[in-house]
């Protein structure tokens, strides 16, 4: 039995995995969708980059989990990638779902084309938070209007420090057993940093023909991929 720790991307909480959780649980695995500090039901809790890393490590240790499959979507690939190197032999695999990957000493926003200037300005203008995205942001990703409404309605402003503070890696990402799920709708190629990691013998690539939020657009398909990773 694996224990899946599921962490959704920026502005989202554990609720984003609601359509995926039953598939994993029915297959007999432990399922632990996690809301990071400052988001959803934890809105208002102060959070920096290392707070989010510790949220994940604490979940694993508090629950006494082993054979852990850490799953990070979008932004949450940054704290998940760091946490994966800190839980030792509890880790079975780390799965990045169309996710950013951490680089030691670099922030989430540093990989953006403008070096994160636009995001930093937005955070500064919104009291230290990255504001909720409008419905138009989610168009073209294989989501129904109802699914888009779920995302927008369930989103909370994202703590800005988690996006601008640097990552701190305790193990090189390329040494970790990892699967990268690339959602190809609209953006078919992995970023350069991910492509480099995929040259590692420990990494493998899986493609999904959907947009950036597959836990909503294709939950069954995503769950089947996650179940397959548990058997590796």
């Amino acid at each position: 039995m694996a224990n899946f720790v599921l962490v959704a991307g920026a502005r989202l909480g554990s609720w984003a995995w609601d359509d995926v959780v039953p598939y994993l649980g029915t297959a007999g695995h432990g399922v632990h969708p996690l809301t990071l500090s400052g988001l959803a039901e934890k809105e208002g809790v102060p959070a920096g980059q290392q707070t989010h890393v510790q949220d994940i490590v604490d979940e694993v240790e508090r629950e006494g989990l082993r054979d852990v499959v850490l799953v990070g979507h979008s932004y949450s690939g940054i704290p998940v990638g760091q946490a994966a190197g800190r839980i030792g032999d509890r880790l079975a695999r780390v799965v990045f779902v169309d996710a950013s990957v951490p680089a030691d000493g670099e922030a989430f926003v540093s990989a953006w084309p403008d070096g994160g200037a636009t995001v930093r300005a937005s955070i500064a203008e919104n009291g230290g938070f990255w504001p909720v995205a409008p419905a138009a942001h989610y168009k073209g990703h294989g989501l129904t209007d109802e699914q888009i409404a779920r995302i927008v309605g369930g989103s909370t402003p994202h703590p800005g420090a988690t996006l601008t503070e640097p990552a701190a890696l305790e193990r090189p990402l390329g040494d970790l057993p990892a699967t990268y799920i690339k959602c190809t709708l609209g953006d078919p190629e992995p970023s350069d940093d991910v492509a480099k990691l995929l040259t590692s013998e420990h990494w493998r690539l899986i493609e999904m023909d959907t947009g950036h939020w597959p836990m909503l657009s294709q939950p069954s398909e995503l769950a089947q991929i996650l179940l397959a990773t548990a058997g590796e």
Side-chain angles (χ1 to χ4, degrees):
M1 185 189 80
N3 282 293
F4 290 93
V5 177
L6 308 172
V7 193
R11 311 181 179 103
L12 306 179
S14 60
W15 64 266
W17 300 98
D18 284 354
D19 295 343
V20 174
V21 167
Y23 294 102
L24 305 179
T26 299
H29 299 289
V31 194
H32 304 267
L34 178 64
T35 293
L36 297 174
S37 294
L39 299 167
E41 72 272 15
K42 297 179 183 178
E43 187 175 10
V45 176
Q49 175 62 223
Q50 294 309 310
T51 312
H52 282 180
V53 178
Q54 198 62 46
D55 285 342
I56 299 163
V57 174
D58 286 349
E59 178 74 6
V60 171
E61 294 181 346
R62 182 173 53 250
E63 298 293 333
L65 305 180
R66 303 198 69 83
D67 298 314
V68 175
V69 180
L70 285 183
V71 182
H73 162 252
S74 193
Y75 152 77
S76 288
I78 301 288
V80 160
Q82 294 170 76
R86 300 184 190 183
I87 62 172
D89 63 3
R90 294 175 182 271
L91 180 72
R93 197 162 194 88
V94 56
V95 182
F96 296 93
V97 181
D98 217 37
S100 300
V101 292
D104 196 47
E106 299 290 338
F108 167 75
V109 295
S110 64
W112 289 49
D114 64 356
T118 302
V119 176
R120 290 177 190 274
S122 179
I123 291 168
E125 293 166 3
N126 289 276
F129 292 87
W130 198 23
V132 171
H137 177 71
Y138 302 97
K139 298 291 186 182
H141 285 276
L143 296 162
T144 65
D145 289 344
E146 181 182 358
Q147 289 166 342
I148 290 173
R150 269 179 75 190
I151 295 178
V152 174
S155 293
T156 45
H158 192 95
T162 69
L163 307 175
T164 59
E165 293 176 355
L169 291 177
E170 294 192 8
R171 287 180 62 187
L173 278 188
D175 292 349
L176 297 173
T179 298
Y180 193 91
I181 299 174
K182 182 72 188 90
C183 297
T184 59
L185 186 61
D187 185 16
E189 298 297 328
S191 58
D192 290 345
D193 54 349
V194 172
K196 183 176 181 180
L197 286 163
L198 285 167
T199 64
S200 167
E201 63 179 340
H202 304 295
W203 279 57
R204 63 186 296 248
L205 173 68
I206 296 176
E207 295 182 343
M208 290 186 72
D209 183 20
T210 190
H212 187 59
W213 291 270
M215 66 279 285
L216 287 146
S217 61
Q218 292 190 1
S220 173
E221 294 85 344
L222 177 58
Q224 294 309 310
I225 292 170
L226 294 178
L227 289 170
T229 68
E232 295 184 40

